[in-house]
Amino acid sequence: MSKILIIEDEEAIADLEKDYLELSDFDVTIENTGDQGLKTARSGDFDLVILDLMLPGMDGFEVCRNIREEKDVPILLVSAKKDDIDKIRGLGLGADDYITKPFSPSELVARVKAHLARYSRLVGGGRESNNVIEIRGLRIDKTARRVYVDGEEKGFTTKEFDLLSFLAENPNHVFSKDELFRRIWNMDSVGDIATVTVHIKKIREKIEHDTSNPQYIETIWGVGYRFKV
Ligand code: CA
């Protein structure tokens, strides 16, 4: 039975969502605040999170970012404002989908089912997500050592793969070229950190739609690189 976490402060809405999801045999947990929702999302093993954006205390944007730092779980954002859609896109929060209030409960259930089906196909069973990193259209399969962009496989050399996986496993963390060189090439300060720059360039050519405006690996001038989530 798939486990769903609803983070929603309006109890009537949360209960309605829960009723409909339970009719479709989902196991549903409700949390009413962002802080508690995040705690539960972190500690539990959920298959999907339905996350309201307007929450007291920590808002849904912040909760989403925090969950995404640790978990691969599909996140369906619920928004009361049409304006939020631009913000969701702009922030690149790593949410999988959003739905605008008011919505019909049956539409919500349909979306949940579609995401779970897609996710379980991608990770081959739903519980082996540790070996697959999926961020927006980018999918890194660490077991098979393959990289896909919008479903299309891209050829990666060993070091390119190691570098991309390392960055993607440590999202939002800025690494200097020195540090990346040491970690990926395992040679303490031997060699040339320009190697890192060259590899980043090659990776970007494979995964970015527009290499002059990278959506995944961001250059932090004077410091190094960061994988954006
Ligand atoms: Ca709300």
Side-chain angles (χ1 to χ4, degrees):
M1 189 186 285
S2 295
K3 290 174 69 181
I4 313 280
L5 173 62
I6 297 174
I7 308 175
E8 167 67 70
D9 59 316
E10 288 168 73
E11 284 181 33
I13 292 178
D15 288 343
L16 183 68
E17 291 174 0
K18 184 173 195 265
D19 288 348
Y20 270 82
L21 289 164
E22 283 180 348
L23 281 174
S24 293
D25 272 342
F26 291 111
D27 175 7
V28 182
T29 303
I30 295 175
E31 292 294 357
N32 299 119
T33 67
D35 296 88
Q36 193 53 47
L38 175 60
K39 232 179 254 175
T40 303
R42 275 186 171 143
S43 58
D45 197 6
F46 292 96
D47 297 291
L48 186 137
V49 178
I50 298 171
L51 172 61
D52 185 38
L53 282 173
M54 293 264 280
L55 294 165
M58 184 187 287
D59 71 13
F61 291 104
E62 200 56 38
V63 175
C64 183
R65 216 190 321 270
N66 277 287
I67 294 176
R68 199 38 96 231
E69 277 177 14
E70 293 175 30
K71 302 255 181 184
D72 234 5
V73 61
I75 302 174
L76 175 55
L77 292 178
V78 177
S79 153
K81 292 185 293 184
K82 293 253 190 285
D83 303 354
D84 280 340
I85 293 166
D86 293 331
K87 203 171 165 192
I88 291 165
R89 287 202 185 112
L91 286 171
L93 287 170
D96 295 84
D97 198 3
Y98 52 84
I99 189 165
T100 312
K101 285 179 182 174
F103 50 82
S104 75
S106 47
E107 189 192 347
L108 179 78
V109 172
R111 296 266 195 115
V112 166
K113 284 182 176 169
H115 278 286
L116 289 174
R118 181 174 157 269
Y119 189 73
S120 75
R121 267 203 309 280
L122 286 174
V123 300
R127 294 288 170 190
E128 296 156 41
S129 56
N130 287 346
N131 287 321
V132 175
I133 301 171
E134 220 209 347
I135 298 137
R136 301 184 291 276
L138 175 67
R139 182 175 169 230
I140 303 165
D141 183 335
K142 292 196 296 167
T143 308
R145 292 183 66 87
R146 286 166 191 250
V147 178
Y148 301 83
V149 177
D150 296 330
E152 187 189 330
E153 188 177 353
K154 304 283 175 175
F156 270 65
T157 66
T158 304
K159 291 300 179 200
E160 285 167 6
F161 185 87
D162 290 344
L163 182 56
L164 176 63
S165 316
F166 176 75
L167 287 168
E169 279 168 355
N170 297 280
N172 297 325
H173 185 118
V174 181
F175 292 98
S176 69
K177 290 176 192 173
D178 275 311
E179 192 171 3
L180 290 172
F181 186 77
R182 278 201 309 274
R183 284 176 184 264
I184 307 301
W185 278 266
N186 297 319
M187 292 177 280
D188 267 314
S189 60
V190 178
D192 188 347
I193 59 165
T195 310
V196 176
T197 316
V198 171
H199 277 72
I200 293 283
K201 182 169 180 285
K202 286 184 176 160
I203 292 170
R204 280 183 177 149
E205 283 165 3
K206 293 171 191 181
I207 65 171
E208 298 286 356
H209 294 288
D210 175 6
T211 51
S212 62
N213 181 24
Q215 296 305 301
Y216 296 106
I217 301 174
E218 188 180 21
T219 301
I220 310 296
W221 293 108
V223 188
Y225 299 103
R226 170 173 77 170
F227 194 93
K228 282 198 285 189
V229 185

